[in-house]
Amino acid sequence: MSKSLVAYFSVTGTTKQVAQNLAEAIGADLYEIKPEVAYTTADLNWTNKQSRSSVEMADMSSRPAIQKPLPDMKYNVLYVGFPIWWYRAPSIINTFLESFDLTDVVVIPFATSGGSAMGKTNEALSPSCVGAVLKEGHRFSVHTSKDELKQWSESYNLGK
Ligand SMILES: Cc1cc2nc3c(=O)[nH]c(=O)nc-3n(C[C@H](O)[C@H](O)[C@H](O)COP(=O)(O)O)c2cc1C
C-alpha cells in the first residue's frame, strides 16, 4: 500500500489550488512548503536581475530556508508542486527534497506556469533526489479538474 503526500510551494495561490485538488482527488496528505522569509512582490520581479528570485535562480547552489520543515519523509510517493520559475522549479524545492532520505521514494513533480512546460525541472531536481525515483512530471492549468488530476496520477501505475 503506497502512502502519498502532495507537497507544494505557491506564492500567488495558483499551484496551491492544483495541489489541493490533487490531494483531494487521490486522498493524499497535503503539506505547504513555506519559505522562512516570505517572497514579496518585489522579490518576484523577474525583470530585475537584482530581485531575490532572480538572484536565487541564477545560483544553482541557492537553498532558501523552509519554515517548520517536515521532520521526516514517511511517504512512498511524493508529489511535489511549484510554480515554474525560469524554466525550472524554484530552488526552495531543492531545499525541501534535500532535507529527507528519499531512498526508494517515488518523486513526481507538477507545476503551474505562465505557459512554459516543465523545461529543465528534472535536470535541476535530480541532484536533490538521491536514492529516489524521479519521474517526469507535468505542468497543469489552474482549471484542471480533479478527475483529470486523478487520471494523471493513475498514469504512473503506482497502485493503491
Ligand atoms: C520569478 C518568476 C519566474 C517565472 N518564470 C516563468 C517561466 O520561466 N515560465 C513561465 O511560463 N512562467 C513563469 N513564471 C510565472 C509562474 O510560473 C506562474 O505565474 C505560476 O502559475 C505562479 O504560481 P503560484 O501562484 O503558485 O505562485 C514566473 C514567475 C516568477 C515570479
Side-chain angles (χ1 to χ4, degrees), residues 9-16 44 46 53 83-87 112-116:
F9 167 65
S10 178
V11 181
T12 47
T14 318
T15 312
K16 178 178 187 165
L44 300 176
W46 64 81
S53 59
I84 295 287
W85 282 6
W86 294 103
Y87 309 103
T112 67
S113 76
S116 300

PDB file of all heavy atoms in Angstrom, residues 9-16 44 46 53 83-87 112-116, ligand 1:
ATOM      1  N   PHE A   9       4.713  24.362  -3.072  1.00  0.00           N
ATOM      2  CA  PHE A   9       5.151  25.737  -2.801  1.00  0.00           C
ATOM      3  C   PHE A   9       4.353  26.604  -3.766  1.00  0.00           C
ATOM      4  O   PHE A   9       4.236  26.267  -4.957  1.00  0.00           O
ATOM      5  CB  PHE A   9       6.653  25.857  -3.083  1.00  0.00           C
ATOM      6  CG  PHE A   9       7.161  27.267  -3.140  1.00  0.00           C
ATOM      7  CD1 PHE A   9       7.140  28.072  -2.020  1.00  0.00           C
ATOM      8  CD2 PHE A   9       7.679  27.789  -4.321  1.00  0.00           C
ATOM      9  CE1 PHE A   9       7.622  29.382  -2.065  1.00  0.00           C
ATOM     10  CE2 PHE A   9       8.168  29.088  -4.384  1.00  0.00           C
ATOM     11  CZ  PHE A   9       8.129  29.881  -3.245  1.00  0.00           C
ATOM     12  N   SER A  10       3.778  27.670  -3.248  1.00  0.00           N
ATOM     13  CA  SER A  10       2.956  28.531  -4.095  1.00  0.00           C
ATOM     14  C   SER A  10       3.009  29.940  -3.543  1.00  0.00           C
ATOM     15  O   SER A  10       2.757  30.131  -2.356  1.00  0.00           O
ATOM     16  CB  SER A  10       1.508  28.012  -4.088  1.00  0.00           C
ATOM     17  OG  SER A  10       0.672  28.839  -4.854  1.00  0.00           O
ATOM     18  N   VAL A  11       3.341  30.897  -4.363  1.00  0.00           N
ATOM     19  CA  VAL A  11       3.427  32.270  -3.851  1.00  0.00           C
ATOM     20  C   VAL A  11       2.124  33.021  -4.088  1.00  0.00           C
ATOM     21  O   VAL A  11       1.638  33.743  -3.222  1.00  0.00           O
ATOM     22  CB  VAL A  11       4.617  33.034  -4.470  1.00  0.00           C
ATOM     23  CG1 VAL A  11       4.693  34.446  -3.899  1.00  0.00           C
ATOM     24  CG2 VAL A  11       5.912  32.307  -4.196  1.00  0.00           C
ATOM     25  N   THR A  12       1.525  32.821  -5.268  1.00  0.00           N
ATOM     26  CA  THR A  12       0.327  33.596  -5.573  1.00  0.00           C
ATOM     27  C   THR A  12      -0.938  32.734  -5.639  1.00  0.00           C
ATOM     28  O   THR A  12      -1.980  33.196  -6.109  1.00  0.00           O
ATOM     29  CB  THR A  12       0.527  34.413  -6.870  1.00  0.00           C
ATOM     30  OG1 THR A  12       1.091  33.577  -7.888  1.00  0.00           O
ATOM     31  CG2 THR A  12       1.476  35.577  -6.649  1.00  0.00           C
ATOM     32  N   GLY A  13      -0.853  31.481  -5.168  1.00  0.00           N
ATOM     33  CA  GLY A  13      -2.056  30.675  -4.977  1.00  0.00           C
ATOM     34  C   GLY A  13      -2.441  29.743  -6.117  1.00  0.00           C
ATOM     35  O   GLY A  13      -3.349  28.928  -5.962  1.00  0.00           O
ATOM     36  N   THR A  14      -1.764  29.850  -7.259  1.00  0.00           N
ATOM     37  CA  THR A  14      -2.150  29.041  -8.420  1.00  0.00           C
ATOM     38  C   THR A  14      -1.813  27.565  -8.197  1.00  0.00           C
ATOM     39  O   THR A  14      -2.675  26.686  -8.321  1.00  0.00           O
ATOM     40  CB  THR A  14      -1.422  29.560  -9.690  1.00  0.00           C
ATOM     41  OG1 THR A  14      -1.436  30.979  -9.677  1.00  0.00           O
ATOM     42  CG2 THR A  14      -2.080  29.047 -10.944  1.00  0.00           C
ATOM     43  N   THR A  15      -0.576  27.323  -7.845  1.00  0.00           N
ATOM     44  CA  THR A  15      -0.143  25.936  -7.608  1.00  0.00           C
ATOM     45  C   THR A  15      -0.894  25.348  -6.404  1.00  0.00           C
ATOM     46  O   THR A  15      -1.212  24.164  -6.375  1.00  0.00           O
ATOM     47  CB  THR A  15       1.378  25.885  -7.360  1.00  0.00           C
ATOM     48  OG1 THR A  15       2.025  26.644  -8.379  1.00  0.00           O
ATOM     49  CG2 THR A  15       1.894  24.460  -7.375  1.00  0.00           C
ATOM     50  N   LYS A  16      -1.167  26.207  -5.431  1.00  0.00           N
ATOM     51  CA  LYS A  16      -1.894  25.756  -4.238  1.00  0.00           C
ATOM     52  C   LYS A  16      -3.236  25.135  -4.629  1.00  0.00           C
ATOM     53  O   LYS A  16      -3.622  24.088  -4.117  1.00  0.00           O
ATOM     54  CB  LYS A  16      -2.136  26.954  -3.314  1.00  0.00           C
ATOM     55  CG  LYS A  16      -2.922  26.626  -2.079  1.00  0.00           C
ATOM     56  CD  LYS A  16      -3.064  27.855  -1.194  1.00  0.00           C
ATOM     57  CE  LYS A  16      -3.701  27.464   0.129  1.00  0.00           C
ATOM     58  NZ  LYS A  16      -3.545  28.497   1.145  1.00  0.00           N
ATOM     59  N   LEU A  44       9.683  38.939  -6.479  1.00  0.00           N
ATOM     60  CA  LEU A  44       9.250  38.106  -7.614  1.00  0.00           C
ATOM     61  C   LEU A  44       9.484  38.775  -8.965  1.00  0.00           C
ATOM     62  O   LEU A  44       9.178  38.199 -10.005  1.00  0.00           O
ATOM     63  CB  LEU A  44       7.758  37.792  -7.471  1.00  0.00           C
ATOM     64  CG  LEU A  44       7.355  37.038  -6.210  1.00  0.00           C
ATOM     65  CD1 LEU A  44       5.843  36.877  -6.155  1.00  0.00           C
ATOM     66  CD2 LEU A  44       8.036  35.679  -6.135  1.00  0.00           C
ATOM     67  N   TRP A  46      10.831  39.387 -12.088  1.00  0.00           N
ATOM     68  CA  TRP A  46      11.825  38.703 -12.933  1.00  0.00           C
ATOM     69  C   TRP A  46      12.490  39.637 -13.934  1.00  0.00           C
ATOM     70  O   TRP A  46      13.438  39.249 -14.599  1.00  0.00           O
ATOM     71  CB  TRP A  46      11.229  37.474 -13.630  1.00  0.00           C
ATOM     72  CG  TRP A  46      10.137  37.771 -14.606  1.00  0.00           C
ATOM     73  CD1 TRP A  46      10.263  38.193 -15.890  1.00  0.00           C
ATOM     74  CD2 TRP A  46       8.736  37.645 -14.360  1.00  0.00           C
ATOM     75  NE1 TRP A  46       9.036  38.348 -16.470  1.00  0.00           N
ATOM     76  CE2 TRP A  46       8.072  38.008 -15.554  1.00  0.00           C
ATOM     77  CE3 TRP A  46       7.960  37.259 -13.266  1.00  0.00           C
ATOM     78  CZ2 TRP A  46       6.678  38.003 -15.664  1.00  0.00           C
ATOM     79  CZ3 TRP A  46       6.578  37.252 -13.386  1.00  0.00           C
ATOM     80  CH2 TRP A  46       5.956  37.628 -14.574  1.00  0.00           C
ATOM     81  N   SER A  53      14.260  36.609  -6.325  1.00  0.00           N
ATOM     82  CA  SER A  53      14.050  35.406  -7.144  1.00  0.00           C
ATOM     83  C   SER A  53      15.091  35.321  -8.261  1.00  0.00           C
ATOM     84  O   SER A  53      15.600  34.229  -8.554  1.00  0.00           O
ATOM     85  CB  SER A  53      12.631  35.364  -7.714  1.00  0.00           C
ATOM     86  OG  SER A  53      12.379  36.503  -8.503  1.00  0.00           O
ATOM     87  N   PRO A  83       5.442  26.668  -8.763  1.00  0.00           N
ATOM     88  CA  PRO A  83       5.361  27.470  -9.989  1.00  0.00           C
ATOM     89  C   PRO A  83       6.669  27.308 -10.766  1.00  0.00           C
ATOM     90  O   PRO A  83       7.733  27.206 -10.146  1.00  0.00           O
ATOM     91  CB  PRO A  83       5.247  28.903  -9.458  1.00  0.00           C
ATOM     92  CG  PRO A  83       5.871  28.863  -8.100  1.00  0.00           C
ATOM     93  CD  PRO A  83       5.721  27.474  -7.566  1.00  0.00           C
ATOM     94  N   ILE A  84       6.614  27.274 -12.059  1.00  0.00           N
ATOM     95  CA  ILE A  84       7.852  27.292 -12.850  1.00  0.00           C
ATOM     96  C   ILE A  84       8.472  28.678 -12.725  1.00  0.00           C
ATOM     97  O   ILE A  84       7.797  29.692 -12.955  1.00  0.00           O
ATOM     98  CB  ILE A  84       7.553  26.977 -14.347  1.00  0.00           C
ATOM     99  CG1 ILE A  84       7.023  25.549 -14.519  1.00  0.00           C
ATOM    100  CG2 ILE A  84       8.788  27.238 -15.222  1.00  0.00           C
ATOM    101  CD1 ILE A  84       8.040  24.451 -14.347  1.00  0.00           C
ATOM    102  N   TRP A  85       9.705  28.716 -12.317  1.00  0.00           N
ATOM    103  CA  TRP A  85      10.485  29.958 -12.277  1.00  0.00           C
ATOM    104  C   TRP A  85      11.684  29.751 -13.185  1.00  0.00           C
ATOM    105  O   TRP A  85      12.483  28.826 -12.968  1.00  0.00           O
ATOM    106  CB  TRP A  85      10.970  30.252 -10.858  1.00  0.00           C
ATOM    107  CG  TRP A  85       9.922  30.827  -9.933  1.00  0.00           C
ATOM    108  CD1 TRP A  85       8.578  30.996 -10.187  1.00  0.00           C
ATOM    109  CD2 TRP A  85      10.129  31.304  -8.588  1.00  0.00           C
ATOM    110  NE1 TRP A  85       7.953  31.545  -9.091  1.00  0.00           N
ATOM    111  CE2 TRP A  85       8.872  31.748  -8.097  1.00  0.00           C
ATOM    112  CE3 TRP A  85      11.250  31.385  -7.760  1.00  0.00           C
ATOM    113  CZ2 TRP A  85       8.719  32.265  -6.805  1.00  0.00           C
ATOM    114  CZ3 TRP A  85      11.083  31.909  -6.476  1.00  0.00           C
ATOM    115  CH2 TRP A  85       9.828  32.346  -6.011  1.00  0.00           C
ATOM    116  N   TRP A  86      11.818  30.580 -14.155  1.00  0.00           N
ATOM    117  CA  TRP A  86      12.965  30.484 -15.062  1.00  0.00           C
ATOM    118  C   TRP A  86      13.123  29.058 -15.598  1.00  0.00           C
ATOM    119  O   TRP A  86      14.190  28.481 -15.532  1.00  0.00           O
ATOM    120  CB  TRP A  86      14.247  30.981 -14.371  1.00  0.00           C
ATOM    121  CG  TRP A  86      14.189  32.447 -14.074  1.00  0.00           C
ATOM    122  CD1 TRP A  86      13.946  33.033 -12.864  1.00  0.00           C
ATOM    123  CD2 TRP A  86      14.320  33.520 -15.003  1.00  0.00           C
ATOM    124  NE1 TRP A  86      13.919  34.394 -12.992  1.00  0.00           N
ATOM    125  CE2 TRP A  86      14.153  34.722 -14.284  1.00  0.00           C
ATOM    126  CE3 TRP A  86      14.554  33.584 -16.387  1.00  0.00           C
ATOM    127  CZ2 TRP A  86      14.212  35.973 -14.897  1.00  0.00           C
ATOM    128  CZ3 TRP A  86      14.623  34.830 -16.991  1.00  0.00           C
ATOM    129  CH2 TRP A  86      14.454  35.994 -16.239  1.00  0.00           C
ATOM    130  N   TYR A  87      12.012  28.499 -16.057  1.00  0.00           N
ATOM    131  CA  TYR A  87      12.010  27.194 -16.753  1.00  0.00           C
ATOM    132  C   TYR A  87      12.352  26.000 -15.863  1.00  0.00           C
ATOM    133  O   TYR A  87      12.636  24.914 -16.360  1.00  0.00           O
ATOM    134  CB  TYR A  87      12.927  27.224 -17.997  1.00  0.00           C
ATOM    135  CG  TYR A  87      12.613  28.398 -18.875  1.00  0.00           C
ATOM    136  CD1 TYR A  87      13.440  29.517 -18.880  1.00  0.00           C
ATOM    137  CD2 TYR A  87      11.440  28.416 -19.642  1.00  0.00           C
ATOM    138  CE1 TYR A  87      13.109  30.640 -19.632  1.00  0.00           C
ATOM    139  CE2 TYR A  87      11.109  29.523 -20.400  1.00  0.00           C
ATOM    140  CZ  TYR A  87      11.943  30.627 -20.395  1.00  0.00           C
ATOM    141  OH  TYR A  87      11.603  31.731 -21.135  1.00  0.00           O
ATOM    142  N   THR A 112       2.586  24.768 -12.111  1.00  0.00           N
ATOM    143  CA  THR A 112       1.793  25.698 -12.905  1.00  0.00           C
ATOM    144  C   THR A 112       2.790  26.712 -13.474  1.00  0.00           C
ATOM    145  O   THR A 112       3.931  26.789 -12.996  1.00  0.00           O
ATOM    146  CB  THR A 112       0.716  26.445 -12.074  1.00  0.00           C
ATOM    147  OG1 THR A 112       1.353  27.319 -11.132  1.00  0.00           O
ATOM    148  CG2 THR A 112      -0.187  25.460 -11.352  1.00  0.00           C
ATOM    149  N   SER A 113       2.361  27.446 -14.476  1.00  0.00           N
ATOM    150  CA  SER A 113       3.281  28.414 -15.094  1.00  0.00           C
ATOM    151  C   SER A 113       2.483  29.389 -15.931  1.00  0.00           C
ATOM    152  O   SER A 113       1.281  29.207 -16.130  1.00  0.00           O
ATOM    153  CB  SER A 113       4.284  27.676 -15.995  1.00  0.00           C
ATOM    154  OG  SER A 113       3.656  27.283 -17.199  1.00  0.00           O
ATOM    155  N   GLY A 114       3.184  30.372 -16.440  1.00  0.00           N
ATOM    156  CA  GLY A 114       2.551  31.307 -17.362  1.00  0.00           C
ATOM    157  C   GLY A 114       2.379  30.706 -18.742  1.00  0.00           C
ATOM    158  O   GLY A 114       1.810  31.344 -19.628  1.00  0.00           O
ATOM    159  N   GLY A 115       2.864  29.510 -18.944  1.00  0.00           N
ATOM    160  CA  GLY A 115       2.748  28.856 -20.247  1.00  0.00           C
ATOM    161  C   GLY A 115       3.843  27.843 -20.509  1.00  0.00           C
ATOM    162  O   GLY A 115       3.645  26.887 -21.242  1.00  0.00           O
ATOM    163  N   SER A 116       5.003  28.025 -19.896  1.00  0.00           N
ATOM    164  CA  SER A 116       6.115  27.084 -20.105  1.00  0.00           C
ATOM    165  C   SER A 116       5.739  25.690 -19.622  1.00  0.00           C
ATOM    166  O   SER A 116       4.998  25.545 -18.653  1.00  0.00           O
ATOM    167  CB  SER A 116       7.335  27.476 -19.273  1.00  0.00           C
ATOM    168  OG  SER A 116       7.790  28.739 -19.607  1.00  0.00           O
TER     169      SER A 116
HETATM  170  C1  LIG B   1      10.414  34.732 -10.665  1.00  0.00           C
HETATM  171  C2  LIG B   1       9.399  34.128 -11.602  1.00  0.00           C
HETATM  172  C3  LIG B   1       9.816  33.433 -12.721  1.00  0.00           C
HETATM  173  C4  LIG B   1       8.865  32.867 -13.588  1.00  0.00           C
HETATM  174  N1  LIG B   1       9.315  32.143 -14.675  1.00  0.00           N
HETATM  175  C5  LIG B   1       8.405  31.596 -15.514  1.00  0.00           C
HETATM  176  C6  LIG B   1       8.822  30.824 -16.638  1.00  0.00           C
HETATM  177  O1  LIG B   1      10.010  30.590 -16.863  1.00  0.00           O
HETATM  178  N2  LIG B   1       7.853  30.328 -17.482  1.00  0.00           N
HETATM  179  C7  LIG B   1       6.523  30.570 -17.262  1.00  0.00           C
HETATM  180  O2  LIG B   1       5.700  30.107 -18.044  1.00  0.00           O
HETATM  181  N3  LIG B   1       6.091  31.240 -16.180  1.00  0.00           N
HETATM  182  C8  LIG B   1       6.993  31.764 -15.293  1.00  0.00           C
HETATM  183  N4  LIG B   1       6.548  32.444 -14.190  1.00  0.00           N
HETATM  184  C9  LIG B   1       5.092  32.512 -13.905  1.00  0.00           C
HETATM  185  C10 LIG B   1       4.645  31.486 -12.846  1.00  0.00           C
HETATM  186  O3  LIG B   1       5.167  30.188 -13.132  1.00  0.00           O
HETATM  187  C11 LIG B   1       3.111  31.376 -12.760  1.00  0.00           C
HETATM  188  O4  LIG B   1       2.558  32.629 -12.565  1.00  0.00           O
HETATM  189  C12 LIG B   1       2.682  30.384 -11.687  1.00  0.00           C
HETATM  190  O5  LIG B   1       1.433  29.822 -12.030  1.00  0.00           O
HETATM  191  C13 LIG B   1       2.573  31.025 -10.295  1.00  0.00           C
HETATM  192  O6  LIG B   1       2.264  30.022  -9.356  1.00  0.00           O
HETATM  193  P1  LIG B   1       1.855  30.355  -7.839  1.00  0.00           P
HETATM  194  O7  LIG B   1       0.613  31.219  -7.891  1.00  0.00           O
HETATM  195  O8  LIG B   1       1.558  29.016  -7.252  1.00  0.00           O
HETATM  196  O9  LIG B   1       2.998  31.050  -7.179  1.00  0.00           O
HETATM  197  C14 LIG B   1       7.480  33.011 -13.311  1.00  0.00           C
HETATM  198  C15 LIG B   1       7.064  33.718 -12.173  1.00  0.00           C
HETATM  199  C16 LIG B   1       8.009  34.276 -11.318  1.00  0.00           C
HETATM  200  C17 LIG B   1       7.541  35.016 -10.096  1.00  0.00           C
END
